[in-house]
Amino acid sequence: MSLTSELNDSKSPLSRFMARELPATSRITGSVRSQLPLRPRTVTPQAAGRPDYRSLGRAIDRRLRIAFGSPVDSILVEGVFYAGIDVAAVATRTAGQAVHGIGQALLSELKGQPAAHDGTLTRPRRDEERLSRLCFVASHFEEVKRAGLRPGNPLLQLGATAVLDDLLFPPTSPMTSPGRWNLPKPITHWGG
């Protein structure tokens, strides 16, 4: 079940949890808005065109799963498995092996992420930036499991020598190095 459908269903466990733990969301929303600059610098996720909202939604869902202590699930594990096979079938065997290796590195790094503790959701800026990017990369592997390897999936653009950081910080990214963005200070505590 998707995060949106869970939130729309007032009887779902997630909706009940949110109502119980975050009864005054207007305070949180106000806190977030007060920390944003009046004219925030925006960055388009890809070079041009419409953002990939499915991938973005899956990335947000993954970040919440990590916060709740479940960083890796069967969908992601199977996506990593099939991505290597599918890329090898349409590109080269070595590219497929590289994608599989990247997927294994991704799984390993995600498994090492601690759950939120005492309501603390975020980490230091650089760590949170990397985690956000890991979640977005995970969405590309999830897509393989859910819908197959579609044209435009960044996994298809990887060569035999690719590594995880090639997906996290592609050379065409406006943010090749995490220290370049001037992001607003993140909310570091939620709840009571």
Side-chain angles (χ1 to χ4, degrees), residues 43-79:
V43 178
T44 305
Q46 297 181 1
R50 186 173 167 246
D52 182 356
Y53 291 112
R54 284 187 302 244
S55 290
L56 185 58
R58 286 190 299 265
I60 292 168
D61 182 61
R62 176 73 45 204
R63 180 62 184 93
L64 289 172
R65 287 174 189 269
I66 291 166
F68 293 131
S70 299
V72 174
D73 57 4
S74 62
I75 296 291
L76 181 56
V77 171
E78 290 177 37

Side-chain angles (χ1 to χ4, degrees), residues 84-134:
I85 294 169
D86 291 356
V87 168
V90 297
T92 66
R93 182 172 179 247
T94 55
Q97 290 170 333
V99 166
H100 181 73
I102 289 168
Q104 292 300 317
L106 173 70
L107 291 174
S108 177
E109 198 162 337
L110 287 176
K111 286 177 184 176
Q113 298 296 324
H117 180 69
D118 293 334
T120 302
L121 182 61
T122 60
R123 296 157 186 153
R125 183 174 289 190
R126 285 185 186 263
D127 294 345
E128 191 64 38
E129 174 68 27
R130 183 168 182 86
L131 180 55
S132 296
R133 288 173 178 269
L134 287 168

Side-chain angles (χ1 to χ4, degrees), residues 3-4 8 33 64 69 77 81 93 97 111 132 160 171-172 176 178:
L3 177 61
T4 304
N8 287 338
R33 286 191 178 133
L64 289 172
V77 171
F81 175 77
R93 182 172 179 247
Q97 290 170 333
K111 286 177 184 176
S132 296
T172 58
T176 303

